[in-house]
Amino acid sequence: MTGSAMIDVLAGLYAHLVTEGEFEDQLDAIETARSVTIVRPREIVTRESVSRQYPCIEILPAEGTPEYGSDSRAAEGFDYHDVDVIAYHSSNDVATVQATLLYYDLALAMVIRADYSLGGRFNRVRRGEVIYGDMFQRKNEETFLQILRRRLEVRQPFEEMGE
């Protein structure tokens, strides 16, 4: 197996969440249900953001997880890919920062709950651990920054070499 499988996973997640508008649709649903306004991400990317225009979301291969083949899960007949969805938000209001990240995580959960295969792209997508980072105050500024990291486990049927 090669790194191209992870590239396909990242592209599939991006296509479902962004291109097909599923993430935006769920944010709209939350706004309607809760009578709130949610700040939209300025960018959603499948690489590390260079501009860091807050709020932003990065969809990246998970850090600290084994590469393909070294995980015992592979014996089940599926390829497993661990992906981190990392959301950043900065504002001068702590409550806005926290609420925005919570709404992003809720919207992601709603997308997955609605269709575990994300439009038939995968066998299953499952939410894993979530880490809400500490609230940081930017030096010499009245703005705060917080980072949310949500782990996703993406399962695909194992593809034989040469297929």
Side-chain angles (χ1 to χ4, degrees):
M1 290 176 264
T2 66
S4 66
M6 179 57 84
I7 292 169
D8 293 343
V9 167
L10 296 176
L13 287 169
Y14 183 87
H16 192 74
L17 294 173
V18 181
T19 307
E20 295 172 7
E22 294 294 328
F23 186 72
E24 180 75 25
D25 290 349
Q26 295 304 335
L27 289 176
D28 290 343
I30 295 167
E31 284 181 327
T32 301
R34 298 182 185 255
S35 299
V36 296
T37 301
I38 302 169
V39 179
R40 297 304 197 263
R42 291 192 179 179
E43 63 179 350
I44 300 176
V45 296
T46 56
R47 57 177 163 58
E48 286 193 37
S49 175
V50 177
S51 63
R52 288 277 162 84
Q53 305 247 348
Y54 300 118
C56 70
I57 297 175
E58 299 171 342
I59 304 169
L60 303 168
E63 292 183 20
T65 58
E67 191 56 35
Y68 311 104
S70 62
D71 196 342
S72 62
R73 299 177 296 186
E76 299 174 12
F78 294 98
D79 285 334
Y80 288 85
H81 310 278
D82 292 323
V83 175
D84 281 338
V85 177
I86 306 166
Y88 302 82
H89 189 37
S90 179
S91 172
N92 59 358
D93 179 34
V94 171
T96 299
V97 172
Q98 292 174 333
T100 299
L101 295 178
L102 288 170
Y103 289 137
Y104 288 174
D105 192 42
L106 177 59
L108 182 60
M110 291 167 66
V111 167
I112 293 169
R113 222 176 281 132
D115 179 6
Y116 288 99
S117 70
L118 299 190
R121 287 180 173 82
F122 310 109
N123 178 269
R124 182 195 72 213
V125 176
R126 183 170 62 184
R127 292 181 324 136
E129 70 182 357
V130 64
I131 299 171
Y132 290 92
D134 293 335
M135 185 71 65
F136 297 100
Q137 184 171 4
R138 291 180 157 183
K139 192 174 186 177
N140 301 325
E141 294 183 33
E142 298 263 337
T143 58
F144 300 90
L145 169 70
Q146 189 171 26
I147 302 168
L148 171 141
R149 180 183 308 265
R150 166 64 76 178
R151 178 71 42 96
L152 299 180
E153 178 189 79
V154 179
R155 183 174 77 181
Q156 294 179 298
F158 181 74
E159 294 184 23
E160 295 294 328
M161 297 292 285
E163 287 185 353

